[in-house]
Amino acid sequence: MSDSKQPMPAPLDVYDEEFYSNLKIARALLNQIGTREDRTICKKWIGKLVRMKADNPIVKKNRNAFFQYMLSVMEKAVKESAYKMEESGLANEDHYMRKWSPDKRTYMAAKPLPGVGTLVYLAVAREPNLGWDHP
């Protein structure tokens, strides 16, 4: 989907109008999908749909039916990604996770960087009572 910044052509009929509406939804969902691999797969299939040239209304109807199914799969992937973030403790507003060890000697924080990886911070102290622990 490298052409995501190009303007969409004017719809030719109701099927094209539906297709371009679905394309807008897909582009929004694409940014919310959790893994790079899943985004790549979605981009591949969206690209195939965009490149498909059809004048036959039945072909357009079937293309849109497939696109609707694909959007439902993408929505499910977004929900699963959000659930995984909740389970891992990354569900607060800024998607940031932090954790202290039980003895307060080790502190770990992680923040996902979408499309890049995860930023991880780890701090260890010999004596946590020296004051570096400021909640």
Side-chain angles (χ1 to χ4, degrees), residues 9-46:
L12 302 174
D13 58 26
V14 68
Y15 294 118
D16 288 332
E17 187 175 324
E18 179 184 18
F19 177 78
Y20 291 118
S21 175
N22 288 341
L23 189 57
K24 287 180 185 177
I25 295 167
R27 287 177 177 163
L29 287 173
L30 197 58
N31 295 327
Q32 299 174 37
I33 293 178
T35 67
R36 178 180 287 168
E37 292 172 5
D38 289 345
R39 283 191 300 273
T40 302
I41 291 168
C42 289
K43 285 180 184 179
K44 176 183 113 179
W45 284 102
I46 292 169

Side-chain angles (χ1 to χ4, degrees), residues 32-100:
Q32 299 174 37
I33 293 178
T35 67
R36 178 180 287 168
E37 292 172 5
D38 289 345
R39 283 191 300 273
T40 302
I41 291 168
C42 289
K43 285 180 184 179
K44 176 183 113 179
W45 284 102
I46 292 169
K48 287 182 180 205
L49 290 170
V50 168
R51 288 187 300 275
M52 181 184 286
K53 304 296 180 207
D55 294 326
N56 186 330
I58 295 171
V59 173
K60 289 181 179 184
K61 182 178 179 183
N62 290 334
R63 171 199 64 189
N64 291 354
F66 174 79
F67 208 171
Q68 284 289 335
Y69 173 73
M70 186 175 159
L71 288 174
S72 71
V73 171
M74 289 174 71
E75 288 171 351
K76 184 178 177 184
V78 168
K79 288 177 185 174
E80 286 178 5
S81 177
Y83 177 75
K84 286 178 184 176
M85 288 181 75
E86 283 179 22
E87 289 294 310
S88 66
L90 298 174
N92 60 19
E93 293 176 12
D94 58 355
H95 298 118
Y96 179 84
M97 187 271 308
R98 62 179 179 221
K99 187 169 185 169
W100 285 97

